[in-house]
Amino acid sequence: MDQKEIKKAARILIDSKLTLALTGAGISVESGIPDFRSPGGLWERYNPAEYGTIWAFRHDAAKVWKMIRETSELVERAQPNPAHLGLAQLQRLGLLHTIITQNIDSLHQKAGATRVIEYHGSSRTLSCLACGARYNAEAKKDEFPPRCACAEILKPDVVFFGEAIPLEALRESQLLASSCNALLVIGTSAEVAPANTIPRTAKLAGARIIEINLKPTLLTSSFTDIFLQGKASSMMIRLVEEVQSLRGEP
Ligand code: NAD
Ligand code: ZN
């Protein structure tokens, strides 16, 4: 990747008054959590179309919990990589307002990020679809599948296909996207709606869009201003270094 492009992106971040990041599964791949589209991975055994829908959960929650258990073991072991750490650092430098993540792995928070909108919920809590009771996932980790006091199998508070985005996350993301000056999009195929409307909203509001991905996506030829093709970790390391060098920091 041409250093000139990195420099342009760094300049945008420095000049922007309000910058957001939108992250997807790709940012956590280097932490050992596969994305949906990588071949040979977890998702070939557990097709998201079969396991990731709310109808699948309602039909056979115990079956879906086999997939949840395997992914949550992976997520628990995972550590933030330089891309998560780089975003947290941009926040500390005052150059990144909020991270909107589609991920449910809490790796932004583990990296020290402060303002994170979990657009697709999180796996830290579980809810009962029958009576509405809510539990801490940690308190239920020895139960398989975990059950509510009313005997129903609990569901993690992550957004399954067919479910609505948490209202507050939706509202806040829309508001921020329509008033930001720059948006950093990292590791998302932009194929999942309505998260993929965020870049469009930002662009219409006049924001510059910087995209980091291994390969071009639906956004690249439409909304993206600067495409940094490569791994999230190495691109973020270079971007943060460039920001610091332009600001005259060590
Ligand atoms: P996706 O799987 O559709 O797309 C991932 C994107 O990341 C692809 O465009 C791919 O080219 C890119 N990518 C892969 N490795 C990369 C790397 N090292 N550096 C930079 N880019 C890389 O993911 P999505 O758009 O987030 O949509 C899938 C949905 O499933 C989302 O809701 C997502 O959060 C969820 N999901 C979450 C996790 C997690 O929490 N870690 C894991 C899998 C899926
Ligand atoms: Zn219940």
Side-chain angles (χ1 to χ4, degrees), residues 90-144:
L90 287 179
Q91 279 193 326
R92 281 195 298 276
L93 293 171
L95 294 175
L96 174 63
H97 189 277
T98 296
I99 300 166
I100 304 170
T101 187
Q102 299 168 77
N103 298 340
I104 51 148
D105 54 27
S106 306
L107 287 180
H108 289 299
Q109 292 91 331
K110 272 196 197 172
T114 42
R115 289 177 304 277
V116 182
I117 297 177
E118 294 178 306
Y119 202 82
H120 289 158
S122 99
S123 44
R124 291 185 300 274
T125 54
L126 310 171
S127 287
C128 176
L129 296 178
C131 74
R134 186 179 250 196
Y135 297 82
N136 227 319
E138 184 63 25
K140 289 276 175 188
K141 77 176 189 326
D142 297 328
E143 277 182 51
F144 182 77

Side-chain angles (χ1 to χ4, degrees), residues 23-31 33-38 42-43 48 71 75 81 83-84 101-107 119-120 123 159 161 186-192 195 211-217 228-235:
T23 66
I27 197 172
S28 297
V29 166
E30 294 169 77
S31 293
I33 307 173
D35 63 7
F36 274 171
R37 286 156 180 89
S38 56
L42 188 72
W43 305 115
T71 51
V75 166
N81 67 54
H84 301 103
T101 187
Q102 299 168 77
N103 298 340
I104 51 148
D105 54 27
S106 306
L107 287 180
Y119 202 82
H120 289 158
S123 44
V159 176
F161 289 110
I186 309 177
T188 175
S189 63
E191 285 178 24
V192 179
E211 182 184 18
I212 299 179
N213 201 302
L214 288 178
K215 51 180 201 275
T217 69
L228 304 178
Q229 183 159 11
K231 287 186 174 176
S233 61
S234 50
M235 286 300 140

